[in-house]
Amino acid sequence: MPTWPSEHCASKALYDRALRVLPGGITRIQPWQDPFPVYASHGEGAYVVDVDGTRRVDFLNNFASLIHGHAPRLVVEAVQNRVARGTAFTLPTREEVDLAEAISSRAERLEQLRFSNSGSEAVMCAIKAARALTGRPAIVKCEGAYHGSYDFAEVSLDSTPSDWGAVPASIGYSKGVPRGVLADVIVVPFNDPAAAERIIHAERERIAAILIDASPSYIGLIAISPEFAATARRLADEIGALLILDEVISFRVHHGGAQTLLGIRPDLTVLGKIIGGGFPVGAVAGPAEYMKVFDHRKGKPLLPWSGTFTANPVTMTAGKVTLDLLDAEAIARINELGTRLRRDIAKVFEEYAWPGQVTGFASMFRFLGHRRPVTDYRSCYHDKTESLRVEGLQAALLREGFHISAKGMGFLSTAMGESEIDALVQATARVVSRAASPSPPDATTRRPNS
Ligand SMILES: Cc1ncc(COP(=O)(O)O)c(C=O)c1O
């Protein structure tokens, strides 16, 4: 039977149909694969099976959202039970209270929550909340940090040496971003407290929020430095702005999220991915003194926010069961697997003199196509050859039976054990030993994020 990437495989037939009805043949650009995408059929724990029946280890886990892998039994049973009793109501449900309590109990600064349907919406909502609370228009974000699809949050996401400027310039991500958006986003270099202090103080009157991520994916998934996190906190206090911590990915690193592990004290936290247990979700969380911005009880709130499917009981059920299963022990186990993976892959790169490195933190990793020490977006930045090097490795690993992202990222799930980690290490050794001499394979599509 033909398998991907044969011209006669089932993925190709689907792609041909898709080209007629979906621009570029796909909905998410991130999983684009030359010559055409692999179409998923179903998932089983750590594995995903494509429409031709090929089974691969899934280190993508729907871009870090499936913390227990595919179709975990207890989540599936709870969701099936919930679906049979109705999937969405205009009325509130017990499930939204249950999930809010479960998240709130995990960290002191997650006292109250407002749910949304995606991390992008939640980032947008947190920024709007900060503007509403402070009466100021501008936000600060880090160069190269991904915070989802909102014009303001996307500024300087993919700056290049030709446009990034000496002090980070505010660059629109898509064509047509209004100049006003760029004027209201102040960009600072990640992990550079002195530069952040200078830039932020110069604009202090206009700033509503400082938005940070404790381990930005475009910056190698490295951990934020304690000095930078402390400086962001102090500056927010000094200028009367809010500190927003985007934990859409990093919440997985500790029972109480990166804020607990790294001792960060955010005013607002943005959540998503794993808290939805495999269903669309986002949330803004924070102490009641800030979350009152959503409170309608004295008339129109400062920030009215809701949506047709927000806090739907299916997502809430899946999220609650998922978090109940994600105790400190489960997190410690996948964090240790992450350490094992990064250690062993580093040895492989060393042994075969592959000109790259593996970075990451806790249960996350990223293969980089260069060996420069990474502290910020510019030191992580890949030129064309370096990007192709990583894309070549990813494409080869796909053929070996492993899904990682085109930018070399991977996220572990509790469905994985040492055998899946060791299998990836061995496959990587096979690939880089073969690639020790030849030129990188051709892969030319520029990829946005998930
Ligand atoms: C750090 C971060 N923030 C926000 C988002 C946006 O979340 P969503 O894709 O659910 O809109 C993402 C998505 O990958 C993310 O990684």
Side-chain angles (χ1 to χ4, degrees):
M1 205 172 99
T3 56
W4 184 93
S6 157
E7 275 293 302
H8 306 289
C9 72
S11 280
K12 177 66 165 61
L14 283 170
Y15 184 57
D16 287 345
R17 282 172 54 199
L19 276 174
R20 288 192 281 275
V21 286
L22 301 168
I26 47 177
T27 299
R28 296 168 76 179
I29 304 180
Q30 203 281 333
W32 169 258
Q33 190 72 49
D34 272 333
F36 51 83
V38 176
Y39 282 73
S41 160
H42 56 282
E44 301 159 352
Y47 296 83
V48 62
V49 180
D50 76 13
V51 286
D52 290 294
T54 305
R55 198 162 180 265
R56 299 181 180 86
V57 187
D58 188 12
F59 282 94
L60 283 170
N61 282 306
N62 193 31
F63 225 88
S65 61
L66 306 176
I67 193 73
H68 300 306
H70 294 278
R73 187 177 57 80
L74 293 177
V75 176
V76 171
E77 283 172 7
V79 165
Q80 281 172 338
N81 181 28
R82 178 61 260 182
V83 166
R85 294 184 300 117
T87 59
F89 306 89
T90 312
L91 308 176
T93 61
R94 170 194 297 271
E95 285 84 348
E96 95 186 61
V97 184
D98 288 344
L99 180 59
E101 281 175 354
I103 295 171
S104 179
S105 69
R106 289 194 165 224
E108 187 210 329
R109 303 294 281 178
L110 305 177
E111 189 183 355
Q112 296 191 340
L113 288 99
R114 176 60 53 110
F115 288 107
S116 60
N117 290 313
S118 70
S120 299
E121 279 183 18
V123 167
M124 172 167 68
C125 191
I127 291 172
K128 289 170 71 164
R131 290 187 197 127
L133 286 163
T134 61
R136 299 174 180 177
I139 61 158
V140 173
K141 76 164 295 250
C142 294
E143 188 174 38
Y146 180 68
H147 297 284
S149 322
Y150 177 42
D151 276 349
F152 292 88
E154 288 176 329
V155 169
S156 297
L157 172 59
D158 66 347
S159 312
T160 64
S162 64
D163 62 19
W164 63 31
V167 176
S170 297
I171 311 291
Y173 182 55
S174 49
K175 281 271 177 280
V177 175
R179 270 203 300 278
V181 168
L182 302 180
D184 282 335
V185 180
I186 297 153
V187 182
V188 297
F190 186 64
N191 275 346
D192 186 340
E197 176 135 22
R198 240 182 1 259
I199 296 166
I200 289 171
H201 265 296
E203 305 264 9
R204 58 181 299 158
E205 309 291 318
R206 301 200 304 121
I207 298 173
I210 301 175
L211 171 63
I212 56 172
D213 180 336
S215 57
S217 53
Y218 274 30
I219 308 181
L221 291 164
I222 60 168
I224 193 169
S225 75
E227 298 74 26
F228 189 69
T231 302
R233 174 67 275 173
R234 175 175 57 76
L235 288 171
D237 289 340
E238 278 174 19
I239 68 171
L242 270 66
L243 181 66
I244 302 175
L245 181 64
D246 182 345
E247 291 236 48
V248 168
I249 289 187
S250 69
F251 195 58
R252 62 165 43 230
V253 304
H254 187 276
H255 188 265
Q259 57 194 273
T260 306
L261 183 65
L262 303 174
I264 304 171
R265 226 181 123 70
D267 298 318
L268 293 176
T269 299
V270 183
L271 299 165
K273 308 240 187 211
I274 66 170
I275 66 157
F279 289 81
V281 80
V284 178
E289 69 177 293
Y290 299 118
M291 295 301 286
K292 69 173 190 240
V293 73
F294 299 107
D295 193 334
H296 64 284
R297 287 174 300 175
K298 294 195 179 127
K300 183 181 165 189
L302 291 182
L303 173 51
W305 174 272
S306 65
T308 306
F309 290 99
T310 48
N312 73 77
V314 179
T315 298
M316 299 292 109
T317 297
K320 171 73 166 55
V321 178
T322 296
L323 290 185
D324 286 349
L325 293 171
L326 191 66
D327 56 16
E329 203 182 314
I331 294 173
R333 193 179 72 78
I334 55 171
N335 287 355
E336 273 166 33
L337 288 178
T339 304
R340 179 189 184 97
L341 185 153
R342 290 186 299 273
R343 181 198 64 202
D344 291 354
I345 294 277
K347 279 191 206 149
V348 165
F349 289 167
E350 209 49 56
E351 185 178 344
Y352 294 100
W354 194 73
Q357 59 181 314
V358 56
T359 55
F361 166 48
S363 56
M364 313 177 286
F365 66 88
R366 185 160 169 200
F367 298 162
L368 302 185
H370 63 68
R371 292 196 163 190
R372 294 183 291 280
V374 173
T375 55
D376 59 11
Y377 175 67
R378 295 183 187 195
S379 52
C380 189
Y381 185 78
H382 283 50
D383 66 21
K384 185 89 184 163
T385 308
E386 292 159 353
S387 295
L388 289 177
R389 185 172 290 137
V390 177
E391 288 176 23
L393 178 56
Q394 179 270 337
L397 284 173
L398 182 64
R399 287 172 167 81
E400 292 274 348
F402 299 86
H403 289 287
I404 65 168
S405 86
K407 286 187 187 295
M409 288 180 229
F411 306 92
L412 276 54
S413 77
T414 61
M416 293 177 169
E418 290 178 0
S419 57
E420 281 79 22
I421 304 304
D422 295 349
L424 178 69
V425 173
Q426 286 151 18
T428 306
R430 283 193 295 278
V431 172
V432 297
S433 67
R434 283 198 301 268
S437 45
S439 55
D442 185 39
T444 47
T445 313
R446 194 178 186 200
R447 297 154 195 274
N449 215 304
S450 64

